[in-house]
Amino acid sequence: MQHTMTVLVENRPGVLARVSGLFARRGFNIESLAVSSTDDPSISRMTIVVAGEDNVLEQITKQLRKLVDVAKVLDYQDIPIVQRELAMIKVNAEATKRAEIMQIADIFRAKIIDISEKTFTVEVTGSNEKVNAITNMLSPYGIIELVRTGRIAMMRGEKTP
Amino acid sequence: MKLTGAQALLECLKREGVDTIFGYPGGYVIPLYDCLYDFPAIKHILVRHEQGAAHAADGYARATGKVGVCLATSGPGATNLITGIATAYMDSIPMVAITGQAKTTALGKDAFQEADTTGITMPITKHNFLIKKVADLPEIVAKAFHIARTGRPGPVLIDVPQDILNGHLDYKPVEKVEIPSYKPNTEGHPMQIRKAARAIASAKRPVLYIGGGVISSGASREVVELSERTHILVTTTLMGKGAIPESHPHSLGMLGMHGTAYANYAVAHADLLIAVGARFDDRVTGKLDAFAQKAKVIHIDIDPTEVGKTVHVDIPIVGDCKSVLTDLLKKVEPKVASEWNEQIMKWKNEYPLCYKKSTDGLNPQYIIEQINKVTDCGAIIATGVGQHQMWSSQYINCTFPRQFISSGGLGTMGFGLPAGIGAKLGCPDKDVFVIEGDGSIQMNIQELMTAVAYGIPVKIVILNNKYLGMVRQWQELFWKRRYSATNIEAQPDFVKLAEAYGAVGMRIEREDQVEEALKKAMEINNLPVVMDFHILREENVYPMIPAGQSVEDMMGHK
């Protein structure tokens, strides 16, 4: 089962190693990870996507809470959230194909943020599935480079972690 | 006040009430060692190997309840502490380990004696710090002690680069430690406590299962009171030994792999298991599917991570054992001894802890019984790891908490001697017996020199069977007696070895010499004594529930 969780931590060196170390110890591969400071510069927010058995992840969640540098852990199982990923896709775009690619980008509400004689760089944001979908659509043209951020997530409505 | 980092560090230790530190110098910590001259209130014990420093600090902490402090240089000094830190971590012992480090400007550049100490110790410390600015030093030291001693206690490491020790700061004492992300919950939830009280009231076959958390939170009196009020009998883990006097009629001794048959039967048939400061370790539960099958479980523990970790818990109560038990006692009604108590007593009579006295050799169990006798059950006991440890856990009759000092979780051979030294320094008014095996003692035998150098009169009992006995026992029982690499007949003459170190040595081969030797050792108060007891070579620890099996599979009980 895939879990998306938010971890609020003290913004200081070594914290990421402590957090990721807990997953590594139990043989979990972190599928995606996004970290940045928040409106409070002393606090960093991590969004972690990981797949694994629910009971083991519950244990890991508790162990995360136990880390001295970790302030809050929230596993969004059964909690409605909005979530986004961002990708930049550099794709072959010869003159004859440009219109088609722009049309695809349009459908996905993606933006072309860089252009060269032979390439477009497309920026897309959205759910994991949406990013996968546009990647699939663009791959026939030849994807030269692709970079994706980890997922970021927030609870719907007024609630905060 | 203008101080150097080294001065500030010692000033901070003094403020934390540290009177003893166990350490070993090295290049990057010379500034700190130099400063020791100016802090006579802090006694530095020079060990002979850094592992000994960590175990001694650990033994000091276990015996006194205070934070143990050890000190080593960078690189190999720090890595030599590792086993000791991991030992303390597994048994939740409050400890602060201070390590030297290369200069901040040299970090990560493979400087001489540089190791990534905070990286290495991350999974075996409760928390660790690398000091990057000398001005941060007082706050970090205060935080380290706070973290080590509060919540579920554990070791904290502070890595101090040399330029931090030599740097200068405007020192102001830290009055209050504030860590927003660290706030252990000590009070149990009132509703859960009411639920527990109701479960206790309605239980027909309850058992109290007491672990090391009771010792560290100082809740022994509450445990005894709960047991006496409700007539619920008490079994303890290795770490919980001493939580209730073992001569108390309600004590069932230890449970688990080498626990008493009656404690294990009681747990197997219980309808309510009240776990307090215990963590359902595999040495206790054996096969999980068969453990306490009929029982509802109340689990009182300060660490929420432990709740439901291995066993389903019906009534979890997260909080400090002493605080929760105090609240629980306000809600629990007296109960009378029931048929259940009689049933357990019947098991106790039917399957007592016993051994067959041999005529052709010395029984280790007998020696331990004699230790009880000559010390009037008043000595602190520190053990190594192996058969001797389990015999001690079975036959040492504990009368008070913090009396039994042993590496439970990590099972660290060589723990006994340095831990015993630490315990004796922490409790100078108590006699300290170190019970070791001939294998285990050799893992930290160098600390005999430390004991001699400081005149620390620990009484060292070696139960010598010239085997790595516990592994040999498993080989005998489960590996067709193929004693691969467990015969250690090639060993030093421990009497001569003791004398070479300047200690007193004795060899005991017959039963009629045992009591006399122990009494003689009790009279020596300025030197360690090594008593080399040549015991039956192939005596086993029984009863035994083989690893991963259940009470049904218990061996060697009557």
Side-chain angles (χ1 to χ4, degrees):
Chain A
M1 185 75 193
Q2 199 186 57
H3 290 238
T4 303
M5 46 177 95
T6 282
V7 185
L8 294 176
V9 301
E10 299 276 328
N11 184 7
R12 65 166 70 106
V15 180
L16 180 59
R18 289 177 205 278
V19 170
S20 60
L22 273 184
F23 288 93
R25 254 177 92 178
R26 303 293 285 267
F28 280 97
N29 188 25
I30 293 177
E31 294 184 0
S32 104
L33 172 70
V35 192
S36 185
S37 58
T38 61
D39 51 323
D40 176 350
S42 70
I43 299 285
S44 285
R45 178 165 175 148
M46 300 181 178
T47 311
I48 300 174
V49 180
V50 62
E53 288 162 52
D54 289 356
N55 58 338
V56 184
L57 276 167
E58 192 194 327
Q59 178 68 15
I60 291 184
T61 308
K62 287 182 183 173
Q63 286 176 336
L64 282 174
R65 285 198 186 103
K66 210 165 113 175
L67 292 177
V68 169
D69 284 334
V70 170
K72 259 178 198 158
V73 184
L74 184 63
D75 183 345
Y76 294 115
Q77 221 43 8
D78 307 323
I79 298 174
I81 52 173
V82 280
Q83 45 174 300
R84 288 290 180 272
E85 287 176 24
L86 183 145
M88 292 194 284
I89 306 164
K90 191 176 287 181
V91 63
N92 278 324
E94 285 158 31
T96 55
K97 304 284 184 191
R98 290 193 175 186
E100 284 174 37
I101 295 174
M102 284 169 77
Q103 232 170 10
I104 292 170
D106 229 27
I107 293 167
F108 285 95
R109 275 183 283 164
K111 281 186 278 185
I112 295 172
I113 54 170
D114 189 46
I115 183 167
S116 73
E117 276 178 28
K118 289 184 182 153
T119 64
F120 272 166
T121 300
V122 180
E123 175 208 296
V124 60
T125 61
S127 67
N128 186 273
E129 293 75 16
K130 180 179 165 188
V131 177
N132 288 344
I134 190 170
T135 309
N136 285 338
M137 291 305 294
L138 292 178
S139 65
Y141 302 96
I143 292 174
I144 298 163
E145 193 181 353
L146 184 146
V147 55
R148 283 171 85 150
T149 65
R151 181 180 303 172
I152 54 170
M154 243 185 205
M155 269 185 282
R156 286 187 180 275
E158 289 158 24
K159 279 193 202 155
T160 59
Chain B
M1 190 169 29
K2 267 274 192 242
L3 293 181
T4 66
Q7 286 169 327
L9 179 49
L10 291 174
E11 191 61 42
C12 293
L13 295 184
K14 204 171 102 186
R15 257 185 82 81
E16 296 292 340
V18 174
D19 54 17
T20 311
I21 56 181
F22 302 89
Y24 204 96
Y28 293 133
V29 288
I30 295 175
L32 192 59
Y33 271 87
D34 189 70
C35 264
L36 278 170
Y37 282 121
D38 305 326
F39 287 83
I42 299 175
K43 186 173 181 188
H44 176 269
I45 302 295
L46 176 65
V47 294
R48 292 299 185 270
H49 185 295
E50 289 91 348
Q51 187 186 349
H55 290 326
D58 178 324
Y60 175 94
R62 290 183 203 236
T64 61
K66 295 195 278 184
V67 179
V69 181
C70 59
L71 169 60
T73 193
S74 62
T79 55
N80 277 344
L81 290 179
I82 298 298
T83 303
I85 295 172
T87 303
Y89 184 67
M90 285 289 270
D91 289 344
S92 309
I93 303 304
M95 177 160 134
V96 169
I98 299 164
T99 48
Q101 182 56 279
K103 289 178 184 169
T104 49
T105 48
L107 289 178
K109 295 180 184 168
D110 299 333
F112 177 64
Q113 291 194 329
E114 184 197 352
D116 175 8
T117 306
T118 48
I120 293 169
T121 56
M122 205 172 269
I124 53 159
T125 50
K126 187 171 170 188
H127 196 59
N128 61 23
F129 296 93
L130 169 63
I131 306 185
K132 298 285 276 291
K133 286 199 297 259
V134 65
D136 295 343
L137 188 146
E139 200 188 326
I140 286 178
V141 176
K143 281 182 176 172
F145 276 83
H146 176 71
I147 292 168
R149 65 162 77 97
T150 55
R152 178 180 184 168
V156 178
L157 181 135
I158 313 173
D159 203 21
V160 196
Q162 191 196 27
D163 52 333
I164 299 293
L165 291 175
N166 285 328
H168 290 83
L169 73 160
D170 198 9
Y171 174 79
K172 269 195 246 48
V174 179
E175 299 299 342
K176 197 167 182 288
V177 181
E178 196 54 56
I179 310 172
S181 54
Y182 174 76
K183 298 232 157 48
N185 177 39
T186 55
E187 286 194 23
H189 195 287
M191 203 173 70
Q192 295 297 89
I193 290 171
R194 277 201 300 277
K195 264 194 213 165
R198 279 201 297 273
I200 290 170
S202 61
K204 296 258 186 314
R205 299 185 307 279
V207 176
L208 273 159
Y209 153 42
I210 301 302
V214 165
I215 308 285
S216 59
S217 88
S220 306
R221 204 186 310 152
E222 287 74 12
V223 167
V224 175
E225 197 183 329
L226 180 62
S227 167
E228 286 177 349
R229 189 186 302 172
T230 57
H231 285 86
I232 299 177
L233 305 187
V234 182
T235 178
T236 61
T237 66
L238 184 68
M239 300 305 301
K241 215 171 141 61
I244 180 168
E246 289 177 295
S247 50
H248 194 292
H250 287 189
S251 168
L252 299 174
M254 187 173 77
L255 79 165
M257 182 178 277
H258 291 298
T260 62
Y262 41 97
N264 285 322
Y265 285 139
V267 170
H269 291 87
D271 69 349
L272 179 69
L273 189 62
I274 309 157
V276 191
R279 60 182 179 86
F280 297 86
D281 176 66
D282 56 82
R283 266 12 185 195
V284 162
T285 62
K287 190 175 170 189
L288 276 170
D289 304 339
F291 177 74
Q293 274 297 286
K294 299 164 190 148
K296 235 184 165 175
V297 175
I298 300 174
H299 191 183
I300 302 169
D301 204 290
I302 191 144
D303 181 358
T305 313
E306 289 302 341
V307 175
K309 185 175 79 175
T310 53
V311 166
H312 173 77
V313 175
D314 300 278
I315 308 175
I317 308 176
V318 174
D320 171 61
C321 293
K322 191 182 178 78
S323 155
V324 172
L325 288 178
T326 306
D327 292 345
L328 185 62
L329 279 165
K330 290 177 197 150
K331 301 270 182 257
V332 169
E333 299 291 332
K335 287 178 87 161
V336 291
S338 63
E339 278 169 38
W340 171 237
N341 296 49
E342 279 170 38
Q343 173 61 59
I344 298 175
M345 284 305 136
K346 223 173 101 191
W347 284 323
K348 197 169 174 175
N349 290 329
E350 222 169 309
Y351 307 105
L353 190 63
C354 60
Y355 61 95
K356 220 199 281 149
K357 252 309 190 31
S358 167
T359 44
D360 15 279
L362 197 45
N363 277 95
Q365 303 93 333
Y366 173 81
I367 298 163
I368 296 171
E369 287 173 336
Q370 294 307 303
I371 294 173
N372 285 332
K373 194 172 154 195
V374 300
T375 61
D376 202 15
C377 300
I380 290 175
I381 309 289
T383 80
V385 166
Q387 285 185 312
H388 67 278
Q389 175 194 32
M390 288 298 107
W391 284 317
S392 302
S393 70
Q394 294 176 328
Y395 290 93
I396 283 289
N397 184 358
C398 273
T399 53
F400 56 92
R402 303 195 176 282
Q403 182 178 5
F404 195 79
I405 293 173
S406 195
S407 165
L410 198 68
T412 307
M413 286 174 72
F415 175 78
L417 175 54
I421 290 171
K424 180 67 187 174
L425 287 163
C427 302
D429 298 335
K430 289 218 155 68
D431 288 313
V432 173
F433 270 74
V434 170
I435 304 179
E436 276 280 10
D438 50 312
S440 187
I441 186 88
Q442 290 187 73
M443 287 215 183
N444 271 315
I445 190 77
Q446 77 287 344
E447 298 313 324
L448 202 46
M449 197 64 248
T450 309
V452 171
Y454 293 94
I456 302 166
V458 286
K459 329 287 181 205
I460 303 159
V461 169
I462 303 177
L463 300 181
N464 187 349
N465 54 14
K466 302 187 179 69
Y467 274 120
L468 300 175
M470 188 56 97
V471 178
R472 186 210 57 75
Q473 176 172 338
W474 284 46
Q475 288 170 331
E476 176 191 327
L477 299 175
F478 315 118
W479 296 90
K480 301 181 182 147
R481 292 180 180 264
R482 288 154 62 90
Y483 294 165
S484 177
T486 44
N487 191 332
I488 50 165
E489 274 172 302
Q491 61 176 215
D493 178 329
F494 285 106
V495 175
K496 280 192 191 154
L497 187 69
E499 286 164 0
Y501 275 114
V504 179
M506 303 179 213
R507 179 170 300 113
I508 301 96
E509 287 165 315
R510 293 196 327 268
E511 204 176 294
D512 60 2
Q513 302 168 317
V514 173
E515 192 180 341
E516 192 195 327
L518 292 170
K519 279 186 173 158
K520 197 171 147 202
M522 290 284 281
E523 280 158 20
I524 299 171
N525 286 313
N526 55 351
L527 277 177
V529 184
V530 177
M531 290 161 273
D532 180 21
F533 289 91
H534 286 217
I535 62 166
L536 289 165
R537 287 203 71 200
E538 301 203 9
E539 182 70 359
N540 285 340
V541 183
Y542 286 128
M544 176 179 195
I545 301 173
Q549 298 191 36
S550 75
V551 67
E552 310 277 308
D553 309 300
M554 195 177 342
M555 310 165 77
H557 55 302
K558 201 163 177 195

